[in-house]
Amino acid sequence: MTVGVDLVLLDIEGTLTPTKQVHSVLYDYARPRLGPWLDEHADSPAVAEVVARVRSLAGLAPDAGTGDVLRVLHGWMDADEKIAPLKTLQGLIWQRGYATGELVTEFFADVAPALRAWHAAGLRLAVFSSGSVTAQLAAFSRTTDGDVTGLFSGHFDTVTAGPKRDESSYRAITAALDVDPARAVFLTDVPEESAAAAAAGWRTVGVARPGEPYHAADFGAARTVASFDDLAFVPAALLAAGRELAAEAARYAGLGWMPGTSGNLSVVLDRDPLRLAVTASGVDKGELTATDVVMVDAYGEPVSAGVPSAEAGLHARIAAVAGAGAVVHVHALAPVLAAERWPDGVRLSGLEMLKGVGRGAHDDPVTIPVIANGQDMGALGDAFERGFRSDVPALIVARHGVYVWGADLRQARHRLECLEWLLRFALATTNDDPTKEL
Ligand SMILES: CSC[C@@H](O)[C@@H](O)C(=O)COP(=O)(O)O
Ligand SMILES: [Zn+2]
């Protein structure tokens, strides 16, 4: 099932990394270093604050010595208490471990490819872990899959967001990231965390990995997966565009303008950088579903999963040059016949329907440019740009089809329907004298 979301929030332990890694590798690394760290950094304000908070939380005397503080810290660690001053201290120690290369984060094998794919598709990624933000950044800077810090646009811990089983923490994250929780998903292996996020309006997926402590946990109504391979996330806007493109393509197919698998449609998702949602290649455009859509860049190259239309490069060029919000390409017959009759451009005048392609009045003529067909979209794009006029929203590719664009799919459709009518009229009224121009 493909889910449209804008943001993926991730738990770490048991979700991205094996739990044993935290319990044996990281805790074993931190435990013997806690005491020396307190001694070595006694002058550091951060450490002084940690010590003061431990004394107060554990009910120690305000001047209790390092030995007493250390005993409390070790007790919390043994009980796996996620208490903020302990987490802060561990974070500092781990940070040095990652910096020196003594520690390397081991992700589950399915994690890094999924994170990279989601990020490449334009999803925002963020982390919510009981490990401190400092520890999170350090852990992601040195992983079995390299430095992945660049993939994340937000880090939250129990200090910056609140307890992980508390609904308000997820509301705080929603506010901090300025995201609609209905378009955000939280992945965790702990059912209580999943429930708290769901109560705050988030989508949730339970991660029940084989061999992990919560592998048999009950996530209630939430979907559960054993691996990120089972998750298909696409940007919510891409899925919505796919739905719109599929409905639009069905209309054109119904008109007989998309024979076989011909034709393709696109809408602009973003201008900076340019991103378009374009129909998938080689499929019957009358049978498209919302997921038969691919995000492409300014060159028509895919930036999400799937194979985009072979003509995506021309769509992107038209969107960039004309500032169009939607581009449609169909293999209706009239435009191709018209280009055959008037290969230097199809001049149309004296018809009320011209107002449907952006002219001011019936006596405001227009010439639809014609370019030669080819398989190189860069060359087609250059030819389009040479003949481009900002007040002509159409292009005929000889012996191929027509491109029409507009602010959105509806405007492009209205223009295409009117243009197709004009071209049929032009052909029918010049049949006796094919050299005649309207
Ligand atoms: C009948 S095949 C036509 C294609 O070669 C092409 O011109 C077309 O319009 C559809 O290509 P597509 O890659 O499916 O978007
Ligand atoms: Zn085509």
Side-chain angles (χ1 to χ4, degrees):
M1 184 180 64
T2 303
V3 179
V5 288
D6 295 333
L7 177 118
V8 185
L9 181 68
L10 299 134
D11 162 58
I12 298 182
E13 184 186 329
T15 301
L16 302 182
T17 64
T19 304
K20 67 166 173 35
Q21 186 180 312
V22 174
H23 285 264
S24 41
V25 180
L26 290 179
Y27 283 11
D28 286 355
Y29 183 84
R31 192 173 281 105
R33 289 172 173 79
L34 285 171
W37 191 277
L38 292 181
D39 290 338
E40 281 166 35
H41 299 85
D43 298 338
S44 136
V47 169
E49 158 95 20
V50 162
V51 169
R53 291 216 52 206
V54 173
R55 286 181 184 131
S56 122
L57 285 168
L60 299 176
D63 58 351
T66 307
D68 289 338
V69 169
L70 202 53
R71 251 189 305 284
V72 171
L73 287 168
H74 279 164
W76 286 344
M77 265 189 95
D78 293 343
D80 196 18
E81 299 270 12
K82 320 255 185 207
I83 294 180
L86 170 64
K87 290 283 146 194
T88 303
L89 205 53
Q90 286 171 329
L92 292 168
I93 293 169
W94 291 331
Q95 187 178 36
R96 191 169 64 184
Y98 287 111
T100 60
E102 288 173 278
L103 291 173
V104 177
T105 301
E106 177 200 339
F107 283 144
F108 291 110
D110 52 282
V111 166
L115 297 183
R116 289 191 205 286
W118 298 337
H119 181 261
L123 299 176
R124 283 199 288 163
L125 305 181
V127 175
F128 185 23
S129 168
S130 48
S132 67
V133 169
T134 305
Q136 295 171 22
L137 289 167
F140 288 0
S141 70
R142 200 182 288 261
T143 81
T144 39
D145 295 273
D147 180 349
V148 296
T149 47
L151 299 177
F152 294 89
S153 47
H155 287 270
F156 299 90
D157 60 21
T158 54
V159 175
T160 58
K164 291 191 75 186
R165 299 177 185 208
D166 200 333
E167 182 186 324
S168 63
S169 306
Y170 298 88
R171 295 198 192 282
I173 295 174
T174 302
L177 292 175
D178 191 22
V179 67
D180 175 358
R183 288 168 57 146
V185 62
F186 178 48
L187 308 186
T188 179
D189 64 330
V190 180
E192 291 81 356
E193 296 176 5
S194 174
W202 285 66
R203 289 166 169 267
T204 59
V205 175
V207 182
R209 295 181 176 280
E212 285 296 306
Y214 291 95
H215 76 278
D218 178 6
F219 286 90
R223 187 172 162 216
T224 307
V225 295
S227 153
F228 285 7
D229 292 342
D230 300 332
L231 292 171
F233 293 137
V234 296
L238 180 63
L239 202 61
R243 216 168 283 127
E244 216 190 340
L245 292 174
E248 204 65 9
R251 292 178 79 135
Y252 290 125
L255 290 168
W257 294 355
M258 289 184 152
T261 62
S262 64
N264 31 68
L265 314 178
S266 68
V267 287
V268 170
L269 296 171
D270 256 310
R271 286 261 160 222
D272 189 18
L274 186 64
R275 293 283 184 267
L276 290 86
V278 62
T279 48
S281 184
V283 283
D284 184 331
K285 308 308 184 308
E287 298 174 349
L288 294 182
T289 67
T291 55
D292 292 318
V293 62
V294 183
M295 196 191 297
V296 299
D297 64 14
Y299 302 97
E301 294 299 325
V303 290
S304 71
V307 181
S309 166
E311 293 161 4
L314 186 51
H315 281 254
R317 185 76 83 91
I318 292 171
V321 172
V327 181
V328 303
H329 165 60
V330 297
H331 284 206
L333 191 58
V336 183
L337 289 177
E340 207 74 0
R341 190 165 292 181
W342 299 288
D344 298 327
V346 181
R347 187 170 184 278
L348 301 162
S349 74
L351 292 158
E352 179 67 14
M353 199 67 115
L354 282 167
K355 286 157 73 178
V357 292
R359 312 316 292 176
H362 65 283
D363 56 358
D364 184 4
V366 69
T367 299
I368 308 298
V370 174
I371 63 169
N373 192 25
Q375 301 304 320
D376 177 348
M377 292 305 128
L380 257 57
D382 291 345
F384 149 71
E385 210 169 331
R386 278 194 295 275
F388 173 70
R389 284 187 47 152
S390 60
D391 59 349
V392 182
L395 169 77
I396 301 175
V397 183
R399 300 200 157 212
H400 180 162
V402 65
Y403 283 80
V404 177
W405 50 92
D408 52 27
L409 283 169
R410 173 183 288 247
Q411 188 182 50
R413 167 161 34 89
H414 291 166
R415 288 175 170 175
L416 173 54
E417 286 174 356
C418 292
L419 178 63
E420 199 267 351
W421 185 96
L422 286 162
L423 294 171
R424 272 194 293 127
F425 178 90
L427 288 164
T429 54
T430 57
N431 265 343
D432 298 342
D433 178 8
T435 58
K436 187 175 147 195
E437 279 201 344
L438 280 188

